[in-house]
C-alpha cells in the first residue's frame, strides 16, 4: 500500500512538473517521460494485474480444512418385525483435515509463482523504459534533422538568389538558375520528409505513454553526445546480477522446488473426524464419534512429480542459455557503441566542419566567378550527407547505449 501511495504521489508531481505553455501542449523531459512508466505503460499495468490475480489465489489455501463438512443421514425401517412407528434413523457429520503440511506448501507455491510473474513486471518495465527512450531519441534526432534541413534550405535559397542576380548581370546562364532551383526543391523535400519522421516518432512516444493522439508534445531534454560506459567485464557482471530474465529463470527453479514439495506433502492422507447419532428399530438411541483416514494407495502424484523433474532440467538449461545470451548481448552492443562513438567524434570534430568550410569557400568563389555552380551544389550535398551521417551515428550510439542499459537491468554507468 505504501509503495502504491508513493508511486501515485510521484505520478502527480511529474504530471504537474510537465507544465503546459499553451492549452493542449505538454512540456515533457526525458525524466518526466520515464517517471510515467509505472502509471502510463499498458504492458506494465497488465503484467502487474497478472501478479495480483496470482496473489489472489492464496486466499484460503492455508486452511487445514480441505472441504466443507459432510452430513449424512439414514432411515432404518424395520424388516423382520415391528411397524413403521418403530422407524429408526442415523446421522453423521464429518470434517476432513490436512495435517501433512500441504496447505502451507500450496501458499508457498503460489507465492513463488507470484514472484515469477513479478519478474515479468520488471521485464515489461525495462522494455517500456527502453521504448520511451528510443521514441524520445528518434523525435529529438528528427528535430536536429529539421534544423539541418532548414539550414540547407536557406543555403539553397541564397544560391538561387545569387544565380538569378548573376543571370540578370549576364555572368551566368539559365542552367545555373535551373540547378539552383533543383537544390531548393531537394532541400524542401528533405525538410518535409524529416518533419514526417518527427511526427511518427512523437506518435510512437504517445503510444508508449498511452496518451491521446491529439496531445501536443514539446520535448525539453537536449540532444547530447553519449558518455563512455563502464568496462565490459563490469557490465557483464552487472547484467548477470540484475537481468530480470536470469532472475526469472532462478525464480522458476524455486517455483518448481515448491511445486515438488507440495506434491510430496499432498501424499499425506487426509484425516477426518466425525460424530453422529444412531437409533435402531426397537433399540435405545446412542451417539458415536470416530476418526477416518484416507489411504494413499493409487493417487500419489507420480505423473506431476515426473513433469516437475523434467521441467527443472529444462529450466537449468534455460538459465545457462540466458547467461550466455546476456554476455553476447552486452559485448555486441558495447562494441557497436564504442565504434559509433568513435565515428561520431570524427564526424563532429573533423568531417562536418570541413564540409561546411568547403561549402563556404566554394560559394564565395562561385560568387566571384572562379567556380561554376556544379561545385556549389556538390559542396552543399557533401554538407547534407555528412550532417546526416553524424546524426545517424549519434542516433545509433544512443540506441546501443539504450540496449546496454536494457541488457544490464537498468544501469550502464
Amino acid at each position: 500500500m505504501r509503495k502504491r501511495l508513493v508511486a501515485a504521489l510521484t505520478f502527480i508531481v511529474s504530471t504537474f512538473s510537465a507544465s503546459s505553455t499553451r492549452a493542449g501542449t505538454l512540456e515533457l523531459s526525458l525524466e518526466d517521460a520515464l517517471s510515467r512508466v509505472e502509471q502510463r505503460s499498458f504492458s506494465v499495468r497488465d503484467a502487474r494485474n497478472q501478479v495480483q490475480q496470482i496473489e489472489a489465489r492464496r486466499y484460503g489455501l492455508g486452511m487445514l480444512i480441505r472441504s466443507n463438512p459432510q452430513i449424512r443421514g439414514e432411515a432404518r425401517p424395520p424388516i423382520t418385525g415391528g411397524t413403521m412407528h418403530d422407524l429408526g434413523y442415523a446421522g453423521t457429520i464429518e470434517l476432513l483435515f490436512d495435517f501433512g503440511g500441504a496447505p502451507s506448501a500450496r501458499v508457498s507455491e503460489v507465492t513463488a509463482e507470484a514472484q515469477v510473474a513479478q519478474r515479468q513486471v520488471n521485464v515489461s518495465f525495462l522494455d517500456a523504459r527502453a521504448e520511451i527512450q528510443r521514441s524520445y531519441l528518434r523525435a529529438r534526432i528528427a528535430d536536429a534533422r529539421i534544423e539541418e534541413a532548414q539550414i540547407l534550405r536557406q543555403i539553397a535559397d541564397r544560391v538561387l538568389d545569387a544565380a538569378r542576380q548573376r543571370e540578370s548581370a549576364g555572368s551566368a546562364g539559365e542552367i545555373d538558375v535551373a540547378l539552383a532551383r533543383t537544390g531548393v526543391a531537394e532541400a524542401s523535400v528533405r525538410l518535409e520528409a524529416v518533419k514526417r519522421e518527427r511526427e511518427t516518432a512523437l506518435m510512437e512516444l504517445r503510444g508508449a505513454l498511452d496518451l491521446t493522439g491529439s496531445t501536443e508534445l514539446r520535448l525539453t531534454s537536449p540532444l547530447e553526445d553519449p558518455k563512455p560506459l563502464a568496462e565490459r567485464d563490469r557490465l557483464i557482471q552487472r547484467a548477470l546480477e540484475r537481468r530480470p530474465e536470469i532472475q526469472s529463470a532462478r525464480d522458476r527453479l524455486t517455483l518448481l522446488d515448491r511445486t515438488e514439495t507440495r506434491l510430496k506433502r499432498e501424499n499425506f492422507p487426509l484425516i477426518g473426524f466425525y460424530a453422529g447419532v444412531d437409533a435402531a428399530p426397537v433399540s435405545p438411541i446412542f451417539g458415536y464419534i470416530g476418526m477416518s483416514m484416507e489411504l494413499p494407495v493409487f493417487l500419489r502424484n507420480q505423473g506431476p512429480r515426473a513433469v516437475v523433474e523434467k521441467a527443472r532440467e529444462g529450466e537449468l538449461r534455460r538459465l545457462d542459455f540466458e547467461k550466455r545470451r546476456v554476455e553476447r548481448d552486452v559485448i555486441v552492443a558495447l562494441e557497436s557503441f564504442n565504434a559509433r562513438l568513435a565515428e561520431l567524434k570524427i564526424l563532429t570534430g573533423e568531417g562536418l566542419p570541413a564540409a561546411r568550410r568547403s561549402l563556404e569557400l566554394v560559394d564565395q568563389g562561385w560568387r566571384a566567378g572562379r567556380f561554376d555552380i556544379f561545385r556549389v551544389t556538390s559542396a552543399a550535398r557533401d554538407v547534407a550527407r555528412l550532417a546526416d551521417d553524424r546524426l545517424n551515428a549519434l542516433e545509433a550510439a544512443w540506441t546501443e547505449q539504450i540496449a546496454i542499459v536494457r541488457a544490464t537491468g537498468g544501469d550502464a554507468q
Side-chain angles (χ1 to χ4, degrees):
M1 185 67 184
R2 186 179 221 178
K3 291 182 179 179
R4 293 180 181 176
L5 180 59
V6 172
L9 291 175
T10 302
F11 174 65
I12 293 173
V13 171
S14 65
T15 300
F16 280 100
S17 64
S19 58
S20 298
T21 55
R22 63 180 186 277
T25 301
L26 179 66
E27 288 191 353
L28 192 67
S29 68
L30 180 58
E31 291 75 15
D32 291 334
L34 294 177
S35 68
R36 293 166 176 254
V37 172
E38 287 281 354
Q39 289 76 28
R40 302 300 307 180
S41 172
F42 176 79
S43 61
V44 174
R45 288 180 291 168
D46 185 60
R48 190 180 297 113
N49 181 260
Q50 297 297 322
V51 176
Q52 294 170 351
Q53 292 182 40
I54 294 173
E55 290 177 340
R57 287 166 39 201
R58 286 194 301 225
Y59 298 132
L61 287 182
M63 296 179 62
L64 295 178
I65 301 174
R66 292 304 303 148
S67 62
N68 291 321
Q70 298 182 15
I71 298 179
R72 291 186 292 270
E74 299 177 5
R76 298 182 177 181
I79 301 297
T80 59
T83 65
M84 291 303 293
H85 294 288
D86 299 317
L87 181 67
Y89 60 88
T92 303
I93 181 171
E94 183 177 11
L95 195 60
L96 294 176
F97 292 87
D98 194 345
F99 292 126
S104 61
R106 294 187 187 98
V107 174
S108 180
E109 181 184 23
V110 172
T111 301
E113 188 177 351
Q115 181 61 31
V116 172
Q118 179 60 44
R119 296 300 183 191
Q120 185 57 46
V121 175
N122 298 342
V123 171
S124 299
F125 178 79
L126 290 177
D127 288 341
R129 283 179 60 92
E131 180 59 28
I132 289 173
Q133 289 173 319
R134 286 191 292 266
S135 300
Y136 200 101
L137 170 64
R138 284 192 288 266
R140 297 303 284 141
I141 289 290
D143 287 336
R145 293 188 193 279
I146 290 175
E147 293 178 3
E148 292 289 346
Q150 289 173 339
I151 293 174
L152 291 175
R153 171 61 190 271
Q154 293 171 2
I155 293 174
D157 287 337
R158 290 199 302 268
V159 171
L160 178 58
D161 290 340
R164 286 171 175 169
Q165 292 175 7
R166 286 169 57 86
E167 183 186 28
S168 299
S171 59
E174 183 179 354
I175 188 174
D176 290 348
V177 176
L179 286 174
R181 286 175 177 170
T182 301
V184 171
E186 290 178 348
S188 299
V189 169
R190 175 60 178 166
L191 181 58
E192 295 302 321
V194 294
K195 286 181 179 179
R196 185 179 66 253
E197 292 175 6
R198 182 179 187 275
E199 290 304 318
T200 301
L202 287 177
M203 192 58 70
E204 292 175 355
L205 182 58
R206 294 187 188 99
L209 294 173
D210 196 19
L211 300 174
T212 61
S214 60
T215 302
E216 292 294 332
L217 297 179
R218 179 175 177 270
L219 308 184
T220 59
S221 293
L223 181 62
E224 300 175 345
D225 292 351
K227 299 179 180 178
L229 303 178
E231 297 179 355
R232 188 183 71 176
D233 293 341
R234 183 179 176 185
L235 290 174
I236 293 175
Q237 182 62 31
R238 189 172 298 166
L240 294 175
E241 293 173 354
R242 301 183 182 182
R243 183 77 173 256
E245 289 86 351
I246 293 180
Q247 296 172 341
S248 180
R250 296 192 180 105
D251 289 338
R252 284 193 295 269
L253 287 171
T254 300
L255 173 59
L256 291 171
D257 290 339
R258 295 186 182 181
T259 299
E260 185 178 23
T261 300
R262 189 259 302 171
L263 292 172
K264 288 180 179 178
R265 292 183 180 181
E266 284 181 345
N267 287 330
F268 191 86
L270 297 178
I271 298 176
F273 296 93
Y274 61 89
V277 61
D278 194 340
V282 198
S283 298
I285 300 174
F286 59 90
Y288 58 88
I289 60 174
M291 184 180 72
S292 63
M293 180 179 293
E294 178 190 27
L295 296 179
V297 178
F298 303 107
L299 304 178
R300 298 182 58 84
N301 291 330
Q302 294 95 333
R305 291 172 65 181
V307 171
V308 168
E309 184 60 31
K310 293 301 180 182
R312 181 185 290 107
E313 295 176 3
E315 287 299 334
L316 288 172
R317 289 193 295 269
R318 182 194 298 273
L319 180 58
D320 292 337
F321 170 76
E322 286 290 344
K323 290 180 179 179
R324 293 190 296 271
R325 185 167 70 88
V326 165
E327 181 181 6
R328 292 193 298 268
D329 290 347
V330 172
I331 292 175
V332 170
L334 184 59
E335 290 179 351
S336 180
F337 171 79
N338 290 332
R340 290 295 189 176
L341 211 59
E343 180 182 348
L344 179 63
K345 182 178 180 180
I346 294 173
L347 288 170
T348 303
E350 301 176 17
L352 189 56
R356 286 173 174 165
R357 179 56 179 168
S358 176
L359 175 60
E360 180 183 353
L361 295 174
V362 170
D363 181 58
Q364 293 175 359
W366 174 68
R367 293 174 185 274
R370 293 194 298 270
F371 302 124
D372 57 34
I373 195 172
F374 295 100
R375 294 284 295 274
V376 178
T377 56
S378 176
R381 289 194 179 98
D382 288 341
V383 171
R385 177 175 53 81
L386 288 173
D388 196 55
D389 289 345
R390 178 189 174 278
L391 290 176
N392 287 336
L394 179 60
E395 182 178 8
W398 273 114
T399 300
E400 296 299 341
Q401 179 167 334
I402 293 170
I404 294 173
V405 171
R406 172 63 181 86
T408 55
D411 186 12
Q413 297 297 330

